């Protein structure tokens, strides 16, 4: 038996010319694969939106629409109170909490009085309007227009007794935690808001 | 120093704030042809850094010039691909 026909040991150095050539071809293939992976710079972001207060509705939508402008693939998975952002009726009536917000110019004991949340919300809405900041509705429309996938968690849709038709047209329903995790695993940026 | 680039189209986002200048710029660029230059007029001071970041991170666009004049921020973006 010549040594040429014997296979190299596992992890050992290739010995024959044919083996070396095969090894080179294999490595070239791997390098080509890596180069393709590097060239594919399509970024992906997944945001999980869990809050439905007026102030917390903005960050996920602002980041989502901006990322879409960068050409990123964007998924926003809305769950629990985050669903209210996608709820056509509720989204127009999101509230700011005056209690527990140290930036409110009033003590908590006063902030807890009836009507204070509405007042704080009204003030904030006016500021937002004066500042030329987009409304939640505008940001949702922009996001959907620019290809952002806005998902409504099916479990919480049922928990909150919402109906598929309650949400903006274009919102994806019938998705759960596994879908969200799958997107997160594939994403370059994952955020929980 | 450098002369102001000649714009093909003008986008007016005066009075609008983050993320609108970026989102609208992207939409306007999508409607242009390769080689066209978009002039973006904004009042949002954050648009200076944001347009730079967006142009850096986006394929097929190049930021040619940014001019700040009396609370008016004018950006020139070329569609390169």
């Amino acid at each position: 038996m010549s040594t040429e026909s014997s296979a190299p040991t596992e992890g050992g150095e290739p010995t024959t010319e044919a083996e070396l050539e095969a090894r080179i071809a294999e490595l070239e293939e791997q390098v080509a694969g890596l180069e393709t992976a590097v060239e594919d710079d399509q970024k992906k972001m997944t945001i999980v939106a869990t809050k439905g207060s007026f102030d917390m509705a903005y960050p996920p939508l602002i980041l989502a629409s901006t990322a879409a402008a960068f050409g990123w693939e964007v998924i926003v998975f809305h769950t629990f109170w985050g669903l209210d952002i996608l709820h056509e009726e509720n989204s127009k009536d999101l509230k700011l909490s005056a209690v527990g917000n140290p930036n409110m110019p009033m003590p908590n004991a006063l902030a807890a009085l009836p009507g204070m949340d509405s007042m704080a919300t009204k003030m904030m809405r006016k500021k937002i309007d004066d500042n030329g900041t987009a409304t939640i509705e505008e940001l949702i429309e922009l996001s959907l227009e620019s290809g952002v996938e806005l998902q409504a968690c099916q479990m919480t849709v049922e928990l909150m007794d919402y109906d598929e038709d309650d949400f903006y047209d274009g919102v994806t329903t019938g998705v759960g935690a596994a879908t969200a995790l799958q997107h997160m695993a594939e994403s370059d940026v994952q955020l929980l808001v | 120093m450098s002369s102001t680039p000649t714009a093909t189209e003008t986008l007016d986002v005066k009075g609008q704030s983050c993320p609108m200048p970026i989102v609208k710029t992207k939409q306007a660029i999508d409607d242009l042809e390769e080689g066209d230059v978009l002039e973006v007029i904004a009042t949002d001071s954050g648009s200076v850094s944001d347009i730079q970041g967006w142009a850096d991170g986006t394929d097929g666009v190049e930021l040619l010039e940014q001019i700040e004049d009396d609370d008016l921020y004018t950006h020139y973006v070329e569609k390169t691909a």
Side-chain angles (χ1 to χ4, degrees):
Chain A
M1 272 266 170
S2 74
T3 50
E4 261 179 292
S5 62
S6 67
T9 50
E10 187 73 27
E13 293 297 314
T15 49
T16 68
E17 203 173 312
E19 281 164 2
L20 278 170
E21 274 171 8
R23 185 74 183 128
I24 287 169
E26 194 186 315
L27 288 171
E28 276 175 347
E29 206 174 296
Q30 277 186 18
V31 170
L34 288 171
E35 277 172 351
T36 314
V38 171
E39 277 166 23
D40 177 23
D41 58 355
Q42 163 77 54
K43 288 210 166 42
K44 180 168 176 174
M45 172 165 77
T46 302
I47 301 177
V48 180
T50 65
K51 306 280 193 225
S53 59
F54 188 51
D55 48 335
M56 294 302 269
Y58 273 93
L61 293 176
I62 290 176
L63 289 173
S65 52
T66 307
F70 274 78
W72 295 11
E73 184 186 348
V74 187
I75 315 280
V76 189
F77 182 79
H78 295 250
T79 186
F80 283 84
W81 287 272
L83 281 179
D84 282 339
I85 305 171
L86 302 182
H87 193 283
E88 209 166 343
E89 204 181 313
N90 295 1
S91 70
K92 290 166 186 147
D93 196 29
L94 300 178
K95 296 267 196 312
L96 188 72
S97 178
V99 178
N101 186 342
N103 291 331
M104 282 288 158
M106 63 180 97
N108 276 342
L110 268 183
L113 290 174
M116 283 301 181
D117 281 353
S118 302
M119 202 184 84
T121 307
K122 219 172 177 177
M123 280 163 55
M124 191 66 196
R125 273 189 207 281
K126 188 178 180 312
K127 278 196 95 107
I128 278 184
D129 193 40
D130 291 348
N131 192 45
T133 300
T135 63
I136 293 297
E137 202 180 349
E138 283 170 334
L139 286 172
I140 285 180
E141 273 162 18
L142 261 179
S143 297
L144 287 169
E145 243 175 57
S146 46
V148 172
E149 191 173 326
L150 299 175
Q151 301 181 335
C153 161
Q154 191 58 34
M155 185 276 282
T156 36
V157 168
E158 287 162 23
L159 185 73
M160 304 283 198
D161 272 331
Y162 290 156
D163 190 86
E164 220 175 279
D165 302 331
D166 296 337
F167 300 111
Y168 286 92
D169 287 342
V171 166
T172 307
T173 51
V175 291
T179 312
L181 275 175
Q182 190 192 353
H183 286 299
M184 281 190 254
E186 291 168 358
S187 290
D188 303 279
V189 179
Q190 305 95 346
L191 293 169
L192 176 73
V193 180
Chain B
M1 289 286 284
S2 56
S3 61
T4 306
T6 311
T8 318
E9 286 281 338
T10 295
L11 172 71
D12 183 351
V13 286
K14 290 198 287 283
Q16 300 185 40
S17 64
C18 174
M20 288 309 183
I22 295 297
V23 173
K24 297 254 170 95
T25 298
K26 154 76 176 163
Q27 288 178 339
I29 281 283
D30 283 348
D31 290 338
L32 292 180
E33 304 290 327
E34 188 180 329
D36 286 352
V37 173
L38 179 70
E39 177 185 49
V40 184
I41 306 172
T43 46
D44 173 21
S45 62
S47 67
V48 176
S49 165
D50 273 9
I51 295 234
Q52 279 171 16
W54 172 76
D56 270 353
T58 307
D59 289 335
V61 293
E62 192 189 336
L63 179 60
L64 302 176
E65 179 97 56
Q66 291 183 298
I67 299 164
E68 186 185 337
D69 181 29
D70 205 17
D71 292 336
L72 218 54
Y73 305 89
T74 310
H75 316 274
Y76 293 91
V77 183
E78 183 182 344
K79 182 165 180 167
T80 55

